[in-house]
Amino acid sequence: MSTAAILVIGNEILSGRTQDANVAFLGGELAARGVTLAEVRIVRDDTDAIVEALNALRRRHTYVFTSGGIGPTHDDITAAAVAAAFERPLIRNAEAVRRLQSRYAAGELNTARLKMAQMPEGASLIDNPVSQAPGFRLDNVFVMAGVPRILQAMFDGIKDGLAGGPPQLSRSLTLVVREGDLADGLTALQDSHPQIEIGSYPSFTEGRSLVTVVARGTDAAALDRVMAETRILADTLTAAILDG
């Protein structure tokens, strides 16, 4: 089974100033390709923190996707940190420079913007059809922009090359029950369907306790059976409460 991790890089995410939208996007896209998103980390714009997290994640998972920190400013340190993690020199990629030249008018491609062409030696480029400043891949690590629109465009160019498996499917059912009343039955249901991942998510609306049961897996028929058995479990609980 292919697994993936996401490393979100940026002080603005940890401060709460910016809300991350990339994890939800990547999680859904990876699931559709049979790649299980197993871990997400968020780190500051700090070289040591990025190196430590990246080295741990790339050794543990099939793929690692990073977002953020590849722009032209002083706090965009992701490319240099990735180079340090892989113990590779940071170089100015000639093809990346050519792409930037196609974006900017004469005299606009200053030193700051040329920083976006710096990447570890041996990296291959990830196309950026939005603003031309490329991401890059090194081994199993994909380094992409933090701007959601750009990250999505970058991912669209690499997704077909990912090795996954059957798509991860899901089914959900919202029940008018209390989660605590449903817990024992869901435990038994999970034990009888070990190949399916079953989760419960409580909510409250209009004075009612609700639970949404979500089942995930690759076997559509098995997911349908879990949903049918969940409905029977909820009906049994409701009948017992009414009889009591």
Side-chain angles (χ1 to χ4, degrees), residues 70-74 76 90-92 97 100 104-118:
I70 59 172
T73 59
H74 70 282
D76 288 311
L90 188 70
I91 65 167
R92 181 174 291 175
V97 172
L100 290 171
Y104 294 101
E108 289 185 342
L109 191 55
N110 56 21
T111 301
R113 291 186 173 116
L114 280 170
K115 181 181 178 182
M116 296 187 289
Q118 292 182 315

Side-chain angles (χ1 to χ4, degrees), residues 70-72 91-119 125-135 150 154:
I70 59 172
I91 65 167
R92 181 174 291 175
N93 184 287
E95 173 58 19
V97 172
R98 188 194 67 77
R99 296 186 188 190
L100 290 171
Q101 287 172 335
S102 72
R103 166 75 174 179
Y104 294 101
E108 289 185 342
L109 191 55
N110 56 21
T111 301
R113 291 186 173 116
L114 280 170
K115 181 181 178 182
M116 296 187 289
Q118 292 182 315
M119 52 196 63
L125 301 187
I126 297 175
D127 290 338
N128 173 2
V130 178
S131 64
Q132 293 304 313
I150 298 178
M154 286 181 169

Side-chain angles (χ1 to χ4, degrees), residues 3 8 20 29 45 68 88 102-103 147 150 157 162 172 178 182 223 229-230 237:
T3 64
V8 181
D20 176 79
E29 290 289 321
D45 297 309
R88 301 276 187 95
S102 72
R103 166 75 174 179
V147 178
I150 298 178
L162 301 178
S172 64
R178 295 178 299 180
L182 197 62
L223 290 172
E229 292 175 30
T230 301
L237 282 172

Side-chain angles (χ1 to χ4, degrees), residues 145-169:
V147 178
R149 181 186 172 207
I150 298 178
L151 179 139
Q152 291 170 20
M154 286 181 169
F155 185 82
D156 190 57
I158 63 174
K159 63 185 180 184
D160 291 338
L162 301 178
Q168 293 287 324
L169 308 174

Side-chain angles (χ1 to χ4, degrees), residues 15 19 58 64 70 86 91 98 102-103 117 127 130 134 173 184 190 195 199 208 228 230 233 236:
S15 70
Q19 292 187 347
R58 69 188 179 95
V64 179
I70 59 172
F86 280 88
I91 65 167
R98 188 194 67 77
S102 72
R103 166 75 174 179
D127 290 338
V130 178
L173 182 64
D184 289 343
Q190 180 67 86
Q195 79 280 19
R208 298 187 303 172
T230 301
L233 173 62
T236 302

Side-chain angles (χ1 to χ4, degrees), residues 61-75:
H61 300 290
T62 314
Y63 302 114
V64 179
F65 301 89
T66 79
S67 68
I70 59 172
T73 59
H74 70 282
D75 56 345

